[in-house]
Amino acid sequence: SSSSSSSDGDDAAVTMADVNVAARRRGLVIETTTFGPAFRVIARRIPTRRGGGGGGEGDDAAATSSGREVAAEDDEDVIAIHDGFIAPPPFGILHLDSMRVYNSRVRGDTERATMRSVFGISILLGTTSALMARDAGCAKMELLAVDDGNEYAAKLVSYYSRLGFETVRVVGGNGLRDVPDLLVWGGVGTRMNGDLRRLLGKWGGVIRRQNAAAAAA
């Protein structure tokens, strides 16, 4: 199924309404697509003129003027894509597969000022999937900060730590002990977990402060 995300939490927590306000302030719309337990969350540039920009809400492909569909990965109006799956109780896990932000698609000084920030688009996508997982009864988030053998691996771990994730173990170089993680994640890196409700509180606070500051400006 596919839709423009709109589920709300309780009054004390961040809601999809908050996320959508923050996204629109950046010139984006947040779209979700689900297939069984798997999900995809897309941040798409809001069209600024007739015929410009993205396709229908929630679609993984946008139609060009020639009628040819363009996959989200190739759509210049898709600024970020977040994939994963939700395993409801008894597992209760939000599994984060990937978070890709296409900085090269951000155009001009105005978009760079609104879209590119340390806790910008990634928090909007992560909060969207976390809200979906919370509604499904999940309590834990898990990810692998991939190590491709370059200096970016350490920066990735540092970034996720700042977002609120904690290191569980390093996957790679541990022989048979790595096999379960290699089967699940398909690569080496640093396994990290997060408490879903705590991170929702942290990220929601950031989103609401940003919204309040924008409204007061």
Side-chain angles (χ1 to χ4, degrees):
S1 63
S2 62
S3 67
S4 182
S5 305
S6 60
S7 60
D8 288 350
D10 56 66
D11 291 340
V14 66
T15 69
M16 271 311 303
D18 297 318
V19 174
N20 290 330
V21 167
R24 286 194 297 272
R25 187 170 55 81
R26 290 176 168 83
L28 299 167
V29 61
I30 302 298
E31 303 168 355
T32 63
T33 303
T34 58
F35 185 76
F39 66 82
R40 166 166 284 191
V41 184
I42 291 175
R44 189 187 298 276
R45 176 186 288 110
I46 296 174
T48 56
R49 62 186 184 278
R50 180 181 293 272
E57 292 185 352
D59 292 338
D60 272 356
T64 66
S65 58
S66 65
R68 180 177 59 87
E69 287 194 341
V70 179
E73 288 83 354
D74 300 320
D75 186 344
E76 287 297 317
D77 284 320
V78 170
I79 306 301
I81 301 174
H82 169 36
D83 292 306
F85 66 81
I86 295 170
F91 304 102
I93 295 172
L94 169 59
H95 177 98
L96 308 176
D97 269 330
S98 65
M99 181 83 70
R100 290 164 285 172
V101 179
Y102 300 103
N103 288 322
S104 63
R105 297 178 183 175
V106 177
R107 304 167 183 163
D109 293 339
T110 299
E111 282 197 355
R112 277 192 287 271
T114 57
M115 292 185 186
R116 297 180 68 170
S117 64
V118 176
F119 297 137
I121 298 175
S122 295
I123 271 191
L124 299 182
L125 301 184
T127 299
T128 300
S129 65
L131 286 170
M132 294 164 60
R134 183 204 61 188
D135 291 347
C138 296
K140 187 175 81 172
M141 306 170 70
E142 63 176 20
L143 61 82
L144 178 75
V146 177
D147 185 351
D148 287 329
N150 53 39
E151 70 280 358
Y152 186 68
K155 294 180 181 179
L156 198 58
V157 172
S158 176
Y159 175 73
Y160 283 124
S161 296
R162 292 177 67 186
L163 284 177
F165 289 90
E166 298 179 350
T167 296
V168 177
R169 59 185 167 274
V170 175
V171 179
N174 300 308
L176 292 176
R177 285 183 296 172
D178 285 335
V179 171
D181 283 312
L182 291 173
L183 290 174
V184 171
W185 299 96
V188 300
T190 302
R191 271 279 294 107
M192 306 183 78
N193 286 348
D195 180 277
L196 192 146
R197 287 190 174 272
R198 185 176 68 81
L199 293 190
L200 265 181
K202 177 184 177 74
W203 301 346
V206 171
I207 291 171
R208 284 187 158 175
R209 285 193 296 273
Q210 291 176 347
N211 287 347

